[in-house]
Amino acid sequence: MSAKIPVMVVGGSANALGVLRSLTHCELHLLCDSAQAPAWHSRWGQKHRSADTKAPTVVDELMQLAARFCGKKPVLLLTEEKTVVHVSAARERLAPFYHFVLCDPAMLLALQSKSGFQQLANQVGAAIPQGRILSQLADLALIEDLNYPCVFKPLEQNEAYSRQFKKAYKVGSAAEVVSLYPAIAAVMPQMIVQEWLEGADSDIYFCLAYFDAKGKLISNFTGRKLRSWPLQVGGTASCTAAPEAAAELTEKTVKFCQAIDYVGQMGMEFKFDAHRGGFYMIEPTVGRTDYQHEIATLAGCNVLAAMVASMAGQPVEHATAPQNAFSKKVVWYDEIADANALANGGPNVLCLDYQRVAAVWRWSDPTPGLVSLWRRLKRKLS
């Protein structure tokens, strides 16, 4: 019997929790900065506290933890965007102690930027909604020629912005952007106005893929959202497998990644535009897992297991998911976000013969759900 592959997961959200639950056959470790995080309470994985997994100091913490593995080299899995930036900047320092695959540093930063991604997509002729970047009030003159409605959103995650403004705005005219931007610019001047793709939240699809250091596709899975929260502009509230779109979206993802010589983890989000009649790339997730990554495991296609085996130099079985490879009918859902979406008019997509699996609550791993429930009860009582 071969030894378990050591894996270091960095982060603590439901994203990290899904990674732990997908890799129970491995020797799991979790680096997390909050005892309130769902993943911290999972039965899976040895827990290590971090001061802040989103700060540059996470690299020093990873170096200190490396000594505990006694010569074994863990696979490093990241779940947060800012952590990817810090690990990428210290890749030469970390590489002797951890297995990980990241694309070229400049490309990684470009793909994490909405403007950089748009530029790369346009260069290789990929289908993407057109947009304009705002950096200052004078740039408002650039948005007149766009086809409205558009989505108006920040170029990158920003805590100060999130505390004061919506994740994104659907705007019907340039005049709406002109009225919104001055207040936003004082906090977060780097914004994008991008053409809106018509369709419901259930028209949003995603392709999860991993390309090894030579650019070979090792594992992939295609899914679709059922609901988002906030509606139309938010993150995944619930999702399922999408075998009907697997061939087309895998081909589009692979074509784009090969055109730019991309390696590592890629989560490409698409939307089917009802007016244009085709799929358009919306945004990529690079160098880390997606929030909804666990749906692949639940549907019978454990792309994370294949990726970990590949990184560790072990044989990979069932690496890709062709159209008929999804063996289980299942819906993954964020308990709070999906309830909010349904209560506020989100599409009631019927999956009557599908098993529903919650992001946090799980009978096989109950403590994260129990802690989450207790915290909600305390908030209501207070």
Side-chain angles (χ1 to χ4, degrees):
M1 183 177 178
S2 59
K4 291 185 176 181
I5 301 173
V7 177
M8 176 64 74
V9 181
V10 183
S13 68
N15 183 340
L17 180 60
V19 174
L20 293 178
R21 289 169 171 172
S22 296
L23 298 173
T24 57
H25 61 288
C26 297
E27 177 195 328
L28 291 171
H29 295 257
L30 178 76
L31 180 60
C32 177
D33 58 16
S34 172
Q36 304 299 318
W40 183 262
H41 299 284
S42 174
R43 61 181 288 203
W44 305 108
Q46 181 177 341
K47 309 305 190 297
H48 309 277
R49 282 300 295 269
S50 165
D52 186 351
T53 56
K54 302 180 187 68
T57 51
V58 72
V59 173
D60 294 325
E61 293 168 341
L62 286 169
M63 292 296 295
Q64 292 169 7
L65 287 171
R68 299 190 184 189
F69 289 93
C70 302
K72 292 189 293 184
K73 193 173 180 179
V75 171
L76 182 61
L77 296 183
L78 310 177
T79 65
E80 298 166 326
E81 185 174 290
K82 290 187 181 298
T83 317
V84 176
V85 174
H86 302 316
V87 168
S88 175
R91 61 179 69 194
E92 292 183 2
R93 185 180 171 197
L94 290 166
F97 305 99
Y98 292 93
H99 292 295
F100 59 91
V101 177
L102 293 173
C103 67
D104 175 80
M107 181 187 295
L108 187 146
L109 292 176
L111 288 170
Q112 285 188 327
S113 157
K114 291 177 176 61
S115 58
F117 169 56
Q118 182 152 21
Q119 184 177 2
L120 284 170
N122 288 336
Q123 285 176 0
V124 301
I128 182 174
Q130 294 304 301
R132 301 289 183 269
I133 306 301
L134 302 182
S135 299
Q136 55 187 341
L137 293 176
D139 294 334
L140 289 170
L142 303 174
I143 66 173
E144 296 290 341
D145 63 338
L146 289 172
N147 295 315
Y148 288 86
C150 287
V151 60
F152 180 43
K153 56 188 178 181
L155 282 178
E156 60 184 30
Q157 295 179 4
N158 181 282
E159 292 184 7
Y161 172 92
S162 300
R163 286 194 295 267
Q164 299 183 51
F165 304 104
K166 294 181 180 180
K167 181 176 180 179
Y169 295 84
K170 183 179 180 180
V171 292
S173 66
E176 285 189 50
V177 180
V178 171
S179 67
L180 288 168
Y181 186 56
I184 292 174
V187 177
M188 179 61 181
Q190 300 293 321
M191 301 286 289
I192 184 171
V193 185
Q194 192 173 53
E195 292 175 347
W196 181 265
L197 298 177
E198 289 298 334
D201 286 341
S202 55
D203 291 318
I204 298 175
Y205 292 71
F206 52 88
C207 181
L208 308 175
Y210 169 67
F211 299 85
D212 69 12
K214 296 181 180 179
K216 178 183 177 182
L217 178 65
I218 298 298
S219 61
N220 66 278
F221 173 86
T222 301
R224 61 184 286 230
K225 293 186 182 183
L226 299 177
R227 284 175 288 276
S228 297
W229 183 251
L231 299 178
Q232 297 276 294
V233 295
T236 304
S238 56
C239 61
T240 190
E244 71 281 359
E248 180 177 357
L249 297 189
T250 300
E251 180 183 4
K252 289 180 179 293
T253 302
V254 171
K255 184 177 180 180
F256 173 73
C257 289
Q258 290 180 341
I260 64 172
D261 294 324
Y262 182 84
V263 296
Q265 291 185 79
M266 168 63 73
M268 183 63 74
E269 189 168 273
F270 295 85
K271 188 168 185 178
F272 185 84
D273 187 283
H275 285 178
R276 297 178 179 90
F279 285 103
Y280 286 78
M281 296 195 306
I282 300 176
E283 63 180 354
T285 298
V286 295
R288 64 179 178 91
T289 55
D290 260 303
Y291 181 54
Q292 69 272 13
H293 228 104
E294 195 190 9
I295 185 59
T297 306
L298 296 170
C301 178
N302 195 333
V303 295
L304 290 172
M307 179 179 67
V308 164
S310 174
M311 287 188 185
Q314 294 192 6
V316 178
E317 297 180 2
H318 308 298
T320 59
Q323 187 169 351
N324 61 355
F326 306 100
S327 59
K328 300 175 184 177
K329 292 184 176 181
V330 62
V331 169
W332 177 97
Y333 68 101
D334 178 309
E335 296 95 311
I336 297 175
D338 202 45
N340 284 336
L342 278 170
N344 288 275
N348 189 12
V349 181
L350 296 178
C351 296
L352 298 179
D353 58 338
Y354 282 50
Q355 177 188 9
R356 285 177 55 84
V357 179
V360 177
W361 173 257
R362 206 72 54 86
W363 282 110
S364 59
D365 187 21
T367 308
L370 292 172
V371 171
S372 176
L373 177 61
W374 173 241
R375 290 178 62 201
R376 293 202 302 272
L377 287 173
K378 285 203 302 183
R379 284 197 296 269
K380 287 185 177 180
L381 290 172
S382 64

